[in-house]
Amino acid sequence: MAYSDKVVDHYSNPRNVGTLDKASEDVGTGLVGAPECGDVMRLQIKVNPETQVIEDAKFKTFGCGSAIASSSLATEWVKGKTIDEALAISNTDIVKELALPPVKIHCSVLAEDAIRAAIGDWKKKKGVEETASVAVAAH
Amino acid sequence: MSTVAATVEVPKGVKLPIYMDNHATTPLDPRVLEAMMPYFTTIFGNAASRNHSFGWEAEQAVENAREQVAKLIGATAKEIIFTSGATESNNLAIKGIAEMYRERGNHIITQVTEHKATLDTCKKLEKQGYKVTYLPVKADGLVDLEDLKAAFTPETILVSIMYANNEIGVIQPVAEIGKLCKEKGVLFHTDGVQAVGKIPVDVIKDNIDVLSLSGHKIYGPKGVGALYVRRRNPRVQIAEQINGGGHERGMRSGTLNVPGIVGLGKACEIAREEMVEETARLIAMRDHLKQRFESVLDYVHVNGNMDHHLPGNLNMSFVYVEGESLLMGINDIAVSSGSACTSATLEPSYVLKALGLGDDVAHSSIRFGLGRFNTMEEVDYVADKLIDVVQKLRELSPLYEMVKEGIDLSKIEWAAH
């Protein structure tokens, strides 16, 4: 399968690989996917408690090149955004940016889920009310 | 910044890309090409033209090739039917026998790890009212002979079990299967595509009634194959699936692919003469590759019984790394992945699953297919590069990190998606 240059670049030089302190009050962790399905993404965010701006993001992904690229891109995009801005990132944005082929759209959905799961985890820790817009779509 | 891009040096004498996917196809041996060349241009006759020298010459070449193919598998020339390849051979064998012996019974036995050319043919026959038993395999990929014994019914007319598996390289106990079939008076077909020319195959010793083989898996041309059909004890009858001029004793009509057939014959001759030497070389390279991985990496394991194994095959799981991303990191090396991340279903290899491998491990598997033209220098480069990329991807793998922390992955409630 011929990937776009952007997928190859993110795969070859993934951004923000690593682990944040899961126990920290300001860190939200999202773990999505399943080993049986061939992809598992873990995306973490570190949120400034005053400004609600995402100051840092890290990821680790088990999956194909598109899954790695999607999660790498997701960490780049959420950094510097507020929680609400990060929630506005949709999988179609990721598909467009990486020019993912149709069979790989799944990977972008997973990345969107990972962002939402990380934010959800952070909100739970902070005791922030879940709003309708945060609800993770089941699929 | 972390990077997956490999930093392994290419040793002198190694030309990239490296081809190590010889189960899929093999390059044509230059000696085969040389033998074929005249039959495209100067000796171009139709082997069925009986009334001039152009036809006679072509026919002579075909009969010579028939001898060469027969000799490789211990058959006689009259028992060789030329086809377009092993998919056609499997179709002709299974459908042809099912149709011809319908009055005797309607039951066929095969196994779950067969090639699709056999499985899909059997599925089609099921739609036509035949009953098919798909035998499971043991964790090492071998068929359980007790299962086979238990599967026979008075209606059974055919057993079709491959000689050696294309993904995991496991060689089935063909002679014993053949013996069982003989005792039961049931015909035995074997898909010999991966075995013929690689290991000694003898249709008499192995009690084989019908055998499929292919040119392009043994350094011959694509688009040509053969079917061995036993002529005595018992005389096997096959209903033709393609009608026409009654070529190939009526079993397979169509103008003969003379250059292809000449190439197949030459490929068989070379395989027979060089098999012993080639086998030793392939085993040395394969074992070296395996040893390199096992000495450096943790969480790797071999799929398929290594005591009953094709010399050039190595199927390994690099757990906690996904196969397709692994292939992406070694894009100057041609191998295959048991991961099916590229397919719409996301289902990993059905052969690996049949061994009882979890989907996660099946997604992490790579098939190496060593062949005649690979070198030890290439093997070392492949090992270096694979190890490098596996290590880098594991730094990226949340699963590897969790396992290293002592977390039991099976206890995690994964979100289905």
Side-chain angles (χ1 to χ4, degrees):
Chain A
M1 166 172 315
Y3 279 125
S4 70
D5 291 346
K6 280 184 182 164
V7 170
V8 174
D9 181 38
H10 273 284
Y11 166 83
S12 306
N13 304 295
R15 291 31 155 192
N16 308 310
V17 176
T19 309
L20 295 173
D21 177 15
K22 217 161 125 182
S24 163
E25 270 281 288
D26 301 325
V27 170
T29 301
L31 182 69
V32 298
E36 294 74 34
C37 304
D39 36 34
V40 174
M41 269 180 207
R42 191 189 64 199
L43 192 143
Q44 295 181 297
I45 51 167
K46 185 169 181 277
V47 186
N48 183 312
E50 258 128 60
T51 58
Q52 297 220 341
V53 168
I54 297 170
E55 285 182 333
D56 199 5
K58 295 278 182 205
F59 88 95
K60 282 204 176 189
T61 291
F62 161 82
C64 64
S66 295
I68 290 170
S70 297
S71 39
S72 170
L73 179 68
T75 56
E76 274 202 321
W77 276 359
V78 297
K79 269 210 290 200
K81 284 198 169 67
T82 64
I83 292 295
D84 285 340
E85 285 168 346
L87 281 171
I89 296 169
S90 93
N91 83 292
T92 49
D93 301 331
I94 296 170
V95 171
K96 222 181 271 170
E97 173 68 15
L98 297 175
L100 293 181
V103 291
K104 298 293 186 179
I105 287 172
H106 168 80
C107 301
S108 68
V109 174
L110 210 58
E112 185 189 312
D113 286 355
I115 296 172
R116 284 164 183 263
I119 291 172
D121 182 54
W122 174 80
K123 284 193 169 177
K124 216 165 112 191
K125 274 186 186 167
K126 288 284 176 190
V128 179
E129 283 271 313
E130 290 268 331
T131 62
S133 67
V134 190
V136 176
H139 52 260
Chain B
M1 188 163 67
S2 101
T3 172
V4 177
T7 45
V8 173
E9 261 184 60
V10 186
K12 260 191 186 163
V14 170
K15 253 177 73 185
L16 299 178
I18 292 169
Y19 188 76
M20 215 172 265
D21 197 18
N22 286 283
H23 303 92
T25 194
T26 52
L28 195 79
D29 190 305
R31 293 169 288 181
V32 172
L33 179 63
E34 202 184 327
M36 290 169 69
M37 287 299 268
Y39 295 91
F40 287 106
T41 50
T42 49
I43 318 174
F44 59 84
N46 188 329
S49 296
R50 286 279 159 77
N51 37 18
H52 52 65
S53 65
F54 294 87
W56 301 333
E57 275 185 311
E59 191 190 11
Q60 184 52 51
V62 167
E63 292 317 311
N64 181 42
R66 219 184 283 282
E67 287 279 354
Q68 289 167 317
V69 175
K71 214 167 169 188
L72 178 62
I73 58 170
T76 61
K78 280 186 174 167
E79 296 172 308
I80 303 299
I81 304 294
F82 289 113
T83 65
S84 64
T87 295
E88 188 192 327
S89 293
N90 283 345
N91 271 264
L92 176 58
I94 297 167
K95 290 174 183 167
I97 286 169
E99 199 178 319
M100 189 61 92
Y101 294 84
R102 179 66 189 86
E103 277 174 22
R104 203 181 283 179
N106 71 339
H107 180 236
I108 295 166
I109 300 170
T110 184
Q111 61 175 3
V112 291
T113 50
E114 288 295 309
H115 191 271
K116 290 283 183 189
T118 294
L119 293 177
D120 287 354
T121 301
C122 286
K123 275 181 200 142
K124 172 122 194 219
L125 287 173
E126 278 187 287
K127 281 186 191 147
Q128 294 168 5
Y130 290 88
K131 292 199 164 58
V132 181
T133 299
Y134 300 90
L135 295 175
V137 292
K138 296 184 281 190
D140 63 0
L142 286 169
V143 68
D144 189 331
L145 291 173
E146 294 305 314
D147 285 350
L148 175 59
K149 274 183 211 163
F152 284 103
T153 77
E155 289 284 307
T156 309
I157 49 173
L158 173 68
V159 170
S160 179
I161 288 179
M162 69 193 342
Y163 210 117
N165 186 271
N166 49 310
E167 285 193 39
I168 52 172
V170 168
I171 300 166
Q172 297 294 353
V174 167
E176 288 165 69
I177 295 169
K179 192 165 159 254
L180 266 178
C181 291
K182 234 178 192 69
E183 284 164 14
K184 301 274 182 188
V186 168
L187 292 178
F188 175 40
H189 164 250
T190 189
D191 173 350
V193 169
Q194 299 289 345
V196 170
K198 312 286 171 63
I199 54 173
V201 170
D202 187 310
V203 292
I204 305 297
K205 282 188 205 150
D206 294 337
N207 304 306
I208 295 164
D209 295 315
V210 188
L211 175 142
S212 305
L213 63 95
S214 175
H216 74 107
K217 310 282 191 186
I218 53 172
Y219 313 94
K222 293 173 183 62
V224 64
L227 187 67
Y228 156 78
V229 183
R230 187 184 275 270
R231 267 168 75 90
R232 61 171 60 140
N233 187 30
R235 183 186 179 86
V236 179
Q237 289 183 289
I238 288 192
E240 82 283 5
Q241 303 299 309
I242 294 176
N243 301 102
H247 308 76
E248 297 298 277
R249 294 195 286 125
M251 281 188 247
R252 202 280 189 178
S253 284
T255 299
L256 291 181
N257 168 10
V258 178
I261 288 167
V262 168
L264 173 61
K266 183 68 185 173
C268 286
E269 184 186 273
I270 296 170
R272 192 173 58 83
E273 285 169 356
E274 302 181 356
M275 191 182 295
V276 174
E277 193 196 341
E278 193 163 291
T279 297
R281 221 171 60 81
L282 290 175
I283 287 178
M285 289 197 289
R286 180 197 69 196
D287 289 351
H288 183 66
L289 188 62
K290 176 171 166 282
Q291 194 273 331
R292 287 284 318 272
F293 293 139
E294 288 175 338
S295 64
V296 179
L297 298 170
D298 54 2
Y299 303 106
V300 293
H301 63 81
V302 172
N303 300 312
N305 188 316
M306 287 307 283
D307 296 329
H308 303 273
H309 213 95
L310 286 175
N313 174 277
L314 181 65
N315 191 311
M316 280 193 105
S317 299
F318 301 88
V319 191
Y320 312 124
V321 170
E322 195 271 338
E324 199 206 306
S325 63
L326 188 47
L327 293 196
M328 207 173 154
I330 53 162
N331 54 10
D332 53 5
I333 301 167
V335 291
S336 275
S337 167
S339 156
C341 202
T342 46
S343 74
T345 58
L346 301 176
E347 281 288 310
S349 151
Y350 66 91
V351 173
L352 295 177
K353 286 182 73 175
L355 306 185
L357 257 66
D359 283 6
D360 50 341
V361 180
H363 273 298
S364 302
S365 304
I366 301 286
R367 175 184 73 177
F368 302 89
L370 290 152
R372 181 175 293 166
F373 301 106
N374 288 121
T375 64
M376 202 51 121
E377 286 74 28
E378 287 179 336
V379 169
D380 268 320
Y381 175 73
V382 168
D384 287 344
K385 187 116 185 213
L386 243 296
I387 289 167
D388 184 65
V389 177
V390 167
Q391 286 172 335
K392 283 170 174 165
L393 286 173
R394 278 183 176 172
E395 278 170 38
L396 221 77
S397 169
L399 303 178
Y400 188 66
E401 184 191 287
M402 290 156 95
V403 167
K404 283 283 174 188
E405 284 172 356
I407 296 169
D408 183 353
L409 295 180
S410 66
K411 296 270 155 62
I412 293 179
E413 259 188 56
W414 299 101
H417 60 282

